[in-house]
Amino acid sequence: MRKEKGIVFAGIDVGSTTTKTVVMDGNTHTVLYSDYRRHQADQIKSVQDILWKLQGKFPKHQIYLSMTGSGAKILADAVGVPYIQEVVANSVALREKYDNVNTAIELGGQDAKIIFFRENESTHQLETSDMRMNGSCAGGTGAFLDEIASVLSMPVEKLNEAAAHGTCVYDLSLIHI
């Protein structure tokens, strides 16, 4: 009798400075493996190393792989796996994990992303209402947050809590100095 292969879902995020990997059990969705590494500007080698590692760690599994990140589109096409744009991937993951989220901000090595959510009035399901990603390098975004915290005389760890008490959203791309 032939034993069925187990199924795992693997995602590789190829960013501007790092490659992140996560593997989840296909049935329980529990994380079986994760990895975070700087790729030293060699995204191809980083992905090759990860693919070999996954093959070694999960030899008896059917691996369903997809890729995301600023450096992943060409690599995903070359490997023949699905590519999902990273802001879209983040929005899907957040809606799956959280019942009540309004805004998510991610500061990456190359860019900053913001996602706004709302409850659909007829289905009451959480849906994405808007997504933004800056068009130029976001280098220094972490330093920007540190500076804003300093100006506000608060620890950077308290910025999220302070933002939760906000009453409006300002579109900084429309502000001209």
Side-chain angles (χ1 to χ4, degrees):
M1 178 187 284
R2 186 173 160 216
K3 187 177 179 186
E4 290 292 317
K5 283 188 169 189
I7 295 174
V8 294
F9 297 113
I12 301 175
D13 179 349
V14 185
S16 60
T17 58
T18 60
T19 303
K20 287 78 65 184
T21 307
V22 67
V23 178
M24 296 171 48
D25 181 276
N27 294 315
T28 65
H29 292 185
T30 56
V31 175
L32 302 174
Y33 172 78
S34 66
D35 186 57
Y36 178 97
R37 65 181 65 197
R38 292 195 171 277
H39 53 58
Q40 309 301 330
D42 195 346
Q43 296 170 324
I44 294 171
K45 179 164 181 355
S46 179
V47 171
Q48 285 174 331
D49 291 348
I50 288 166
L51 293 176
W52 281 112
K53 180 164 249 178
L54 293 180
Q55 184 179 24
K57 286 189 88 53
F58 301 97
K60 297 180 179 176
H61 291 79
Q62 176 69 41
I63 300 174
Y64 288 90
L65 174 68
S66 60
M67 297 175 75
T68 191
S70 61
K73 177 68 172 117
I74 292 171
L75 293 172
D77 290 346
V79 176
V81 300
Y83 168 81
I84 182 167
Q85 199 278 341
E86 62 190 290
V87 180
V88 173
N90 282 336
S91 72
V92 170
L94 288 164
R95 283 182 291 163
E96 279 288 318
K97 184 146 178 78
Y98 300 102
D99 294 330
N100 187 14
V101 62
N102 294 319
T103 307
I105 299 172
E106 185 216 331
L107 302 176
Q110 180 176 328
D111 46 41
K113 306 119 182 133
I114 187 165
I115 308 168
F116 298 99
F117 299 91
R118 68 169 174 239
E119 182 181 313
N120 181 298
E121 291 179 14
S122 57
T123 66
H124 301 288
Q125 297 291 315
L126 192 63
E127 61 185 28
T128 305
S129 62
D130 195 10
M131 295 184 221
R132 304 280 175 104
M133 189 165 151
N134 67 330
S136 58
C137 181
T141 49
F144 171 77
L145 291 176
D146 286 339
E147 184 65 25
I148 292 298
S150 174
V151 168
L152 296 173
S153 299
M154 71 170 53
V156 71
E157 296 84 8
K158 297 289 185 180
L159 285 177
N160 190 46
E161 184 180 322
H165 299 291
T167 57
C168 62
V169 175
Y170 294 98
D171 188 341
L172 296 179
S173 64
L174 298 178
I175 296 175
H176 299 282
I177 299 176

